[in-house]
Amino acid sequence: MKRTLLSFIMPCLAAFAMAQPGGGFGGFGGFQQQAKLETSQEWKDVNYAGDDQAYHTCDIYLPKKEAASYPVVIHIYGSAWFSNNSKGNADLGTIVKALLDAGYAVVCPNHRSSMDAKWPAQIHDIRAVIRFVRGEAAKYKFDTSFIATSGFSSGGHLSSTAATTSGIKQTKVGTVDIDLEGNVGNYLNESSTVNAACDWSGPVDLTAMDCGEGMKMGDNSPEDVLLGSKLAQEPDKYRSLSATYYVSKKNPPIIIFHGEKDNVVPCCQGKMFYELLVAAGVKTEATFVPEGGHGMGMYSEENLQKMVNFLNAARTGK
């Protein structure tokens, strides 16, 4: 992403996103009307970390058609990592509805923003959610034989990174030692691995945000704020933030959706990710929408069904 957008927009966006339901990697394109979901049960503001922090809460939705247990998708909102409380606007009328209609339980978590804590705190929170799903499976009717992540924009980044780092607790990225597991929550003995992931318009290689004609972010991009650094000064930190860095044949199935007219997160991000996954032998699919923007024009019935079909295939081994 080029670095010369009205520089004042970033602090304004940060303040706005912290207070309001946000959408989009840069806070644009993800806003939508509140959806009325058809469910059998719902729980709001459940704390997955065992503390009193709103950024450690999640909303849980069970499908209208009742069952003894449900496979689970954790869907993560987009906010350029600036929002710590946007779970109530996490693509409820599109992605979440499609998942519920297909028989998946959906967990929409908050996570710490870049103002609350620097990377890797955000992946620590998502891993805590995954462990919480396993630890509280009986209470919420979760079928833990299948847990997937999904996310839009910066949520797509977290979903993708949870998948490509699945099974890796700690590693070294160049000069950077990174703890990918963290110690958030009460279920530290549970696994944080996932069985599949969906990436909707996510920034996945934070060393190459200039790969296309993206939004110009001024002196401090969202990833600069998240890392408290600059790419030229500490490139290994940006590699440690990138889902692409961890791609290997051990990754679970990952499906990618990206708009070719996305002016916030350039489509080349999704295309690079897809090519790396294919080369590594990971089960993957990608849909690049010719007229798709950053969220806009992306949630067609066809695309939502592709997501469901891909998750069904990953779950059943077909």
Side-chain angles (χ1 to χ4, degrees), residues 1 5-31 78-84 86 113-115 153-154 215-217 220-223 225 264 294:
M1 169 181 336
L5 179 67
L6 312 170
S7 57
F8 72 84
I9 206 168
M10 297 313 297
C12 293
L13 170 60
F16 177 81
M18 291 288 285
Q20 299 289 336
F25 178 74
F28 309 108
F31 296 105
S79 72
W81 308 289
F82 280 124
S83 177
N84 63 11
S86 291
S113 73
S114 56
M115 303 300 175
S153 199
S154 61
M215 180 175 284
K216 299 174 183 178
M217 286 293 177
N220 291 299
S221 68
E223 60 269 28
V225 177
V264 180
H294 195 60

Side-chain angles (χ1 to χ4, degrees), residues 6 12 38 56 60 68 77 87 94 97 133 136 145 159 165 175 199 212-213 234 239 262 276 289 307:
L6 312 170
C12 293
E38 293 188 342
H56 280 154
I60 300 168
Y77 58 80
K87 60 183 173 57
T94 52
K97 181 180 184 301
V133 166
E136 295 282 358
S145 69
S159 171
T165 66
T175 60
D199 168 21
E213 291 300 318
E234 297 183 287
R239 293 185 183 99
D262 191 328
L276 285 169
V289 181
M307 171 189 68

Side-chain angles (χ1 to χ4, degrees), residues 229-240:
S229 188
K230 296 288 185 182
L231 177 59
Q233 297 170 2
E234 297 183 287
D236 287 340
K237 278 192 174 183
Y238 290 74
R239 293 185 183 99
S240 81

Side-chain angles (χ1 to χ4, degrees), residues 164 244 246-251 272-284:
T164 60
T244 52
Y246 307 98
V247 168
S248 81
K249 63 181 180 180
K250 296 181 180 180
N251 295 163
M272 287 190 297
F273 194 23
Y274 177 68
E275 290 169 2
L276 285 169
L277 292 169
V278 169
V282 178
K283 182 179 180 181
T284 186

Side-chain angles (χ1 to χ4, degrees), residues 1-5 25 208-218 258 260-269 294:
M1 169 181 336
K2 307 295 189 291
R3 311 294 189 193
T4 55
L5 179 67
F25 178 74
M209 291 302 291
D210 285 331
C211 67
E213 291 300 318
M215 180 175 284
K216 299 174 183 178
M217 286 293 177
H258 217 120
E260 293 189 353
K261 292 190 176 179
D262 191 328
N263 69 342
V264 180
V265 177
C267 189
C268 44
Q269 286 279 306
H294 195 60

